[in-house]
Amino acid sequence: MRFVPGRTDRVVVVGAGLAGLSAALRLRGAGREVTVVERGPGPGGRAGVVTDGGYTLDTGPSVFTAPEVVADALAAVGERLEDRLELVPLTTSYRAQFADGSHLDVHADPDAFAAEVEALCGPAEAAALRRYLTDLADLYRLQVATFIDRNLDSPLDLLGPQLWQLARRGGFGRLSRHVERRFADDRLRRLFSFQALYAGVSPYRAIAAYAVIAQLDIGAGVVHPVGGIGAVPRAMAGAAADAGVDFRYGTAVDRLDMAGRRVTGVVLDDGERLPADAVVVTTDAPHTLVPGLRGPRRPTYSPSCVALHLGVRAELPGSAHHTISFGAAWRQVFDELTRDGRPMSDPSLLISMPSVTDRSLAPDGGQVLSVVAPTPNLDPRSGGNPDLDWQALAPRYREELLATLESRGFRGVSGAIEVEHLDTPLTWARQGMAAGTPFALAHTFGQTGPFRPPTLPRRGPENVVLAGSSVQPGVGVPMVVMSGRLAAERITGAVPA
């Protein structure tokens, strides 16, 4: 494993998202002097928050899994997760709602989940579910230490018995076929393959190794941070500040000063210069800031999304915390999304209503509702469509989303909206996210593991490391928190397990 050479006493972290906060906690715990520079008014990055009229709307991630990775980051400065965050395990991780009118509640408890599956799909599928959940847990244990939670400098780093085990278990086949061989019921096939979109690829293109994404939410279960997802970066930033990390909010970085192959300082937009022995950059397109760093040669970006966040004066009884609402169409809509550059004609939606669990997020009689609809990104090389005029499309697409919600059981939403926030691919592009997607580089085979940009690039300054969605290990809350630790280890040296 490669490390930053030379002195690394003073470190500047660019970005106070989850990756930057994770890196800052690790670095401070290892005794470094750490300054975090964030252009926004507070911590969070993509995990944004809008508060209005008594409603708290999370505008970034809505599903929180693997809290142990956040606990691990906090422990670096001697903090305990339970002292900083109140977490509520969800008995029902998701409600899967299907186009035929049936639904399936996905429980964290495998016995309860199997009972639901048996009632809906029959005993043979319930038995298949139990076998598959065991297989998922084994697959995750096989992959996490060797392929996911680890800095990789070369494909040769993967050589070993774990690679052969993964290959023998079909990990390099297609996810869709992997799931189809386990289940006969099409509803279960969809339930265990839609997660490929979290990795930015269609289930028909994703490698079977990405079945492990389902282990994080379906196998291990989902939790809710009281106060919303935005409470997570606030907790991490609070712990870091109490440990002595200096935060500069509302401040952008103008440039990095160089001397030879090293960055010597970070120049802020107001002209102040922060001396630096090492720099952690968490921006989505780091090559636009870091001298000599090249962007990916032929990048493939994930699809984007439209995210509609609502505060509604309606009870919406019987709704689940998270609902996956599947349309009738399936393979066709992935072609629309990743090949044809068109919004899904019959979309599958992730609908989150965290106020069902956490009443602090909405006033009496109200609910917080977030709807995420996958859409093409803005990069034609990635199957996206730069010609989609989202400024003109947004009002019409909003109406279509509301009509779809109403038709799928969320009746009365349209007439009860009190607070609203809408993000489109154009929003993400304006925030500096490549290809107008918040999901960064897709996890194609050529952008996975050692083929994904590393935390310590071989080109560019020798003392700049990278963290975030666009580098190893990848996209998603657990992954970006891991990336912060991996970036810190490039500076401090690997911490023994």
Side-chain angles (χ1 to χ4, degrees):
M1 176 175 161
R2 298 166 53 242
F3 301 100
V4 170
R7 180 178 173 178
T8 61
D9 297 336
R10 298 168 300 180
V11 185
V12 176
V13 178
V14 180
L18 294 171
L21 294 169
S22 174
L25 286 163
R26 292 283 180 176
L27 290 162
R28 184 59 190 153
R32 296 329 191 254
E33 179 184 322
V34 183
T35 301
V36 178
V37 179
E38 168 58 48
R39 66 181 179 180
R46 281 174 170 82
V49 178
V50 170
T51 56
D52 189 4
Y55 296 95
T56 299
L57 311 178
D58 281 313
T59 60
S62 54
V63 179
F64 187 57
T65 61
E68 64 272 12
V69 298
V70 175
D72 197 45
L74 292 170
V77 293
E79 293 268 5
R80 299 192 313 159
L81 177 69
E82 53 268 34
D83 294 334
R84 289 284 177 174
L85 273 176
E86 181 182 353
L87 299 179
V88 179
L90 301 187
T91 303
T92 300
S93 300
Y94 293 107
R95 174 166 294 159
Q97 177 181 285
F98 302 102
D100 64 1
S102 64
H103 76 268
L104 176 67
D105 281 353
V106 177
H107 294 290
D109 177 74
D111 292 331
F113 188 14
E116 291 271 350
V117 170
E118 182 167 354
L120 181 66
C121 309
E125 291 296 83
L129 172 77
R130 289 183 182 276
R131 291 191 297 270
Y132 192 63
L133 291 176
T134 299
D135 188 58
L136 276 183
D138 289 344
L139 195 62
Y140 183 76
R141 284 191 291 269
L142 171 64
Q143 290 190 59
V144 66
T146 304
F147 307 107
I148 299 173
D149 194 12
R150 176 187 176 191
N151 276 305
L152 297 166
D153 291 316
S154 162
L156 297 177
D157 292 342
L158 294 181
L159 293 180
Q162 293 89 350
L163 181 66
W164 305 120
Q165 289 181 48
L166 182 60
R168 190 167 58 248
R169 297 178 69 151
F172 298 106
R174 294 298 179 205
L175 175 61
S176 56
R177 293 176 185 170
H178 176 82
V179 175
E180 286 167 4
R181 285 196 297 268
R182 270 68 177 182
F183 299 106
D185 194 295
D186 188 60
R187 292 167 295 189
L188 294 178
R189 290 174 172 181
R190 294 188 183 196
L191 180 63
F192 282 100
S193 60
F194 84 92
Q195 294 91 349
L197 278 182
Y198 294 164
V201 287
S202 158
Y204 297 95
R205 290 188 60 204
I207 60 174
Y210 280 107
V212 298
I213 300 175
Q215 169 61 19
L216 291 173
D217 51 11
I218 294 179
V222 178
V223 297
H224 171 74
V226 172
I229 301 291
V232 177
R234 290 196 298 272
M236 295 173 75
D242 288 349
V245 174
D246 180 28
F247 284 88
R248 304 289 189 92
Y249 294 119
T251 304
V253 174
D254 179 65
R255 68 181 188 277
L256 305 183
D257 273 353
M258 295 285 297
R261 291 201 59 212
R262 292 182 72 87
V263 170
T264 59
V266 176
V267 181
L268 308 181
D269 57 358
D270 62 2
E272 182 183 1
R273 183 181 184 277
L274 304 177
D277 301 313
V279 179
V280 180
V281 176
T282 69
T283 58
D284 202 52
H287 58 278
T288 61
L289 175 64
V290 181
L293 182 65
R294 293 183 181 177
R297 289 184 60 192
R298 295 178 181 174
T300 299
Y301 290 99
S302 301
S304 186
C305 69
V306 167
L308 178 61
H309 307 285
L310 304 171
V312 296
R313 184 68 65 170
E315 294 288 350
L316 301 173
S319 299
H321 188 119
H322 293 300
T323 298
I324 308 163
S325 178
F326 291 102
W330 189 240
R331 186 162 190 161
Q332 159 199 337
V333 294
F334 291 115
D335 288 341
E336 293 170 348
L337 185 65
T338 62
R339 187 188 67 188
D340 303 335
R342 292 188 288 127
M344 288 180 166
S345 56
D346 184 17
S348 292
L349 306 173
L350 174 60
I351 305 162
S352 297
M353 196 182 302
S355 49
V356 169
T357 302
D358 182 359
R359 290 306 308 164
S360 73
L361 302 176
D364 291 343
Q367 297 284 5
V368 167
L369 192 69
S370 292
V371 187
V372 178
T375 61
N377 62 41
L378 304 180
D379 179 20
R381 298 168 299 178
S382 305
N385 189 348
D387 297 323
L388 287 174
D389 183 357
W390 281 106
Q391 189 164 349
L393 280 174
R396 187 170 77 242
Y397 199 81
R398 169 193 179 274
E399 293 301 318
E400 291 178 5
L401 279 181
L402 290 174
T404 301
L405 278 178
E406 297 273 354
S407 70
R408 296 186 184 179
F410 292 83
R411 296 181 181 87
V413 166
S414 301
I417 298 171
E418 293 189 326
V419 176
E420 180 176 346
H421 181 85
L422 181 71
D423 289 320
T424 72
L426 193 59
T427 311
W428 316 123
R430 286 171 176 163
Q431 293 177 13
M433 298 181 198
T437 173
F439 305 116
L441 292 170
H443 284 264
T444 59
F445 182 80
Q447 295 178 167
T448 292
F451 306 112
R452 198 170 185 84
T455 52
L456 182 57
R458 292 190 179 275
R459 294 181 180 272
E462 65 182 13
N463 60 338
V464 171
V465 297
L466 309 179
S469 300
S470 291
V471 300
Q472 298 170 7
V475 179
V477 170
M479 302 303 177
V480 298
V481 175
M482 289 179 190
S483 82
R485 180 180 63 77
L486 297 178
E489 286 185 356
R490 295 287 196 177
I491 295 170
T492 65
V495 177

